[in-house]
């Protein structure tokens, strides 16, 4: 207990000495952000002047830049501010991007190039204390490829004129094969971001087997040989058969012929008595000689509307030898047909 008391007394005595010994001096001033002063002293006598300055990278505004210790032990006031230096706004980077948040002292810019471009120069820049960027704006240089590989029996046509033996990222071309070779693979190619061309196609000879005839038809060529890619053969149909599909087949890239046409049969109209409408003309069935219409042709027969006692034409189509007579058609008896033909649905008032 006694020891603690002694210690406390000593402390009191000490602090009195300090205070009385430095009466009316100024303490080292509290400075606003980024302001500097010279010297390391802790106490200043009245009348002492203190020069203030800005830290490196900061510019002084307002003032005064000197403060004075006055008799009351206080410093004179100052409105001095130190604001960071600003670097010029950076130039844009063609084929690349720059990332930065600010352009003041110590800000940084990150440079990156778009795909297919490589950065030549520094990838970052920092705003220095003297308001300049630490490095110049870099460049984004295009990735280059050599000339595109050429397949045997093939060639490439570039989309733009290429001089020398380098091409750039994004350069494109189209491969072609010399006939009768056919391109196997993708004809379009381009210089990729990795500096290589996309896959080179191959040129192969393609042939098709001798073409096969069609039923009720004939071919323009009967040669029993292999046919080259793109060779064609024409077909025709015998007599009243009608060709449906393409007149011509072609030997395709896959070594197969394109789809053959077919010959479709004509139809006969399965009525013995009555009038029909055919090609815009009304005619008695016996006057259609021979009784035959071609595939896809349309013929109308006449039906009767019994309630209103009027006649009307009902169309039907010949499909590969089949012509359906509409259900409403009624075959007249032979007596009615010869003696009273004026009462047939084709002859009475039309609905
Ligand atoms: C720049 O890149 C560095 C490192 O990748 C990153 O820490 C920083 O945030 C980037 N700065 C900007 C402004 O994008
Ligand atoms: C700015 O400071 C840097 C690094 O200290 C120096 O290399 C550059 O020359 C200075 N620029 C100017 C314009 O003073
Ligand atoms: C480009 O061509 C020149 C001369 O024809 C040759 O010396 C050089 O090696 C070629 N460069 C490439 C990348 O093929």
């Amino acid at each position: 207990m006694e020891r603690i008391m002694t210690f406390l007394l000593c402390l009191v005595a000490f602090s009195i000495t300090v205070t009385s010994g430095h009466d009316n001096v100024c303490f080292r001033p509290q400075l606003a952000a980024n302001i500097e002063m010279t010297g390391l002293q802790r106490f200043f006598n009245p009348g002492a002047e203190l020069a203030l300055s800005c830290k490196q990278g900061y510019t002084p505004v307002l003032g005064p830049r000197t403060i004075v210790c006055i008799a009351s032990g206080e410093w004179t006031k100052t409105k001095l501010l130190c604001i960071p230096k600003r670097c010029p706004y950076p130039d844009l980077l063609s084929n690349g991007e720059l990332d930065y948040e600010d352009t003041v002292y110590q800000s940084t810019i990150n440079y990156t190039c778009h795909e297919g471009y490589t950065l030549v120069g520094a990838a970052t820049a920092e705003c220095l204390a003297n308001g300049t960027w630490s490095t110049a704006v870099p460049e984004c240089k295009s990735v280059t490829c050599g000339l595109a590989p050429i397949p045997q029996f093939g060639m490439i046509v570039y989309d733009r004129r290429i001089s020398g033996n380098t091409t750039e990222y994004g350069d494109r071309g189209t491969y072609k094969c010399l006939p009768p070779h056919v391109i196997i693979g993708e004809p379009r190619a381009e210089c990729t971001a990795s500096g290589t061309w996309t896959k080179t196609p191959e040129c192969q000879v393609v042939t098709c087997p001798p073409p096969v005839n069609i039923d009720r038809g004939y071919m323009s060529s009967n040669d029993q040989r292999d046919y080259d890619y793109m060779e064609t053969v024409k077909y025709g149909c015998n007599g009243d058969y009608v060709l449906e599909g393409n007149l011509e087949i072609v030997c395709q890239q896959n070594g197969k012929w394109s789809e053959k046409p077919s010959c479709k049969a004509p139809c006969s109209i399965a009525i013995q008595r009555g009038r029909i409408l055919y090609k815009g003309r009304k005619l008695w069935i016996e006057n259609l000689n021979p009784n035959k219409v071609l595939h896809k042709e349309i013929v109308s027969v006449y039906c009767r509307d019994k309630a209103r006692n009027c006649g009307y034409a009902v169309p039907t189509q010949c499909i590969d030898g089949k012509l359906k007579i509409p259900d409403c058609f009624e075959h007249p008896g032979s007596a009615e047909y010869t003696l009273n033909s004026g009462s047939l649905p084709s002859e009475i008032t039309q609905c």
Side-chain angles (χ1 to χ4, degrees):
M1 186 64 184
E2 199 180 306
R3 267 211 281 172
I4 290 173
M5 280 305 288
T6 320
F7 176 70
L8 280 178
L9 278 175
C10 284
L11 258 186
V12 170
F14 178 73
S15 47
I16 288 167
T17 332
V18 169
T19 319
S20 63
H22 294 270
D23 214 8
N24 286 334
V25 297
C26 294
F27 290 97
R28 192 176 171 83
Q30 294 287 310
L31 297 176
N34 303 314
I35 300 180
E36 281 182 325
M37 53 177 272
T38 49
L40 296 167
Q41 295 159 253
R42 294 177 56 210
F43 307 107
F44 297 84
N45 290 322
E49 286 189 5
L50 198 49
L52 302 178
S53 60
C54 285
K55 287 184 184 159
Q56 209 193 29
Y58 294 83
T59 307
V61 291
L62 306 177
R65 296 196 205 170
T66 305
I67 49 174
V68 181
C69 177
I70 52 179
S72 61
E74 284 172 90
W75 292 99
T76 54
K77 299 268 176 275
T78 179
K79 288 183 173 149
L80 177 67
L81 279 180
C82 288
I83 55 166
K85 289 211 176 129
R86 194 168 278 280
C87 281
Y89 283 100
D91 289 334
L92 291 179
L93 185 62
S94 57
N95 301 312
E97 303 282 346
L98 31 86
D99 264 324
Y100 61 92
E101 267 147 26
D102 208 342
T103 58
V104 296
Y105 174 55
Q106 285 174 329
S107 300
T108 56
I109 305 177
N110 288 347
Y111 292 103
T112 49
C113 290
H114 293 155
E115 188 181 69
Y117 294 86
T118 43
L119 193 80
V120 178
T124 59
E126 190 185 347
C127 181
L128 300 177
N130 60 9
T132 63
W133 292 105
S134 62
T135 54
V137 179
E139 258 188 280
C140 287
K141 287 226 165 109
S142 176
V143 165
T144 59
C145 294
L147 293 177
I150 305 293
Q152 205 184 3
F153 307 112
M155 57 187 277
I156 189 166
V157 179
Y158 292 107
D159 288 5
R160 72 172 182 96
R161 216 186 134 76
I162 306 289
S163 55
N165 50 11
T166 60
T167 53
E168 289 190 355
Y169 168 69
D171 271 336
R172 277 171 240 268
T174 306
Y175 281 106
K176 294 202 163 90
C177 291
L178 309 172
H181 295 83
V182 171
I183 196 157
I184 306 293
E186 174 54 47
R188 292 288 287 163
E190 69 178 87
C191 169
T192 66
S194 60
T196 56
W197 279 86
T198 48
K199 201 162 184 293
T200 313
E202 280 180 56
C203 292
Q204 287 181 1
V205 174
V206 165
T207 58
C208 290
V212 176
N213 202 357
I214 50 173
D215 288 345
R216 301 183 190 89
Y218 52 86
M219 294 188 288
S220 62
S221 158
N222 261 317
D223 294 352
Q224 291 299 301
R225 61 169 175 90
D226 283 347
Y227 285 66
D228 287 336
Y229 169 59
M230 288 305 273
E231 265 197 284
T232 60
V233 171
K234 285 192 176 67
Y235 284 101
C237 288
N238 300 330
D240 291 327
Y241 283 80
V242 171
L243 190 103
E244 194 167 85
N246 291 314
L247 184 67
E248 201 173 69
I249 59 168
V250 56
C251 175
Q252 302 176 124
Q253 200 162 324
N254 59 5
K256 292 189 174 131
W257 289 101
S258 59
E259 206 185 334
K260 288 195 303 244
S262 57
C263 293
K264 302 292 187 189
C267 301
S268 61
I269 304 167
I271 61 178
Q272 282 82 49
R273 295 177 288 278
R275 229 173 174 187
I276 58 165
L277 181 64
Y278 177 53
K279 290 186 174 167
R281 285 170 56 220
K282 244 172 127 174
L283 49 111
W284 297 101
I285 190 69
E286 56 265 35
N287 295 336
L288 180 69
N289 207 352
N291 180 334
K292 187 188 282 180
V293 296
L294 301 183
H295 174 62
K296 285 280 173 80
E297 282 188 333
I298 290 174
V299 172
S300 298
V301 298
Y302 288 86
C303 293
R304 185 191 304 274
D305 179 333
K306 294 202 174 94
R308 292 156 65 204
N309 196 32
C310 53
Y312 58 98
V314 183
T316 177
Q317 190 176 29
C318 170
I319 304 290
D320 194 19
K322 293 198 179 65
L323 186 125
K324 185 181 184 300
I325 300 298
D327 291 336
C328 65
F329 178 79
E330 283 175 357
H331 237 125
S334 64
E336 185 193 6
Y337 188 55
T338 22
L339 303 174
N340 198 9
S341 63
S343 70
L344 294 175
S346 55
E347 309 309 306
I348 59 174
T349 316
Q350 296 299 293
C351 301

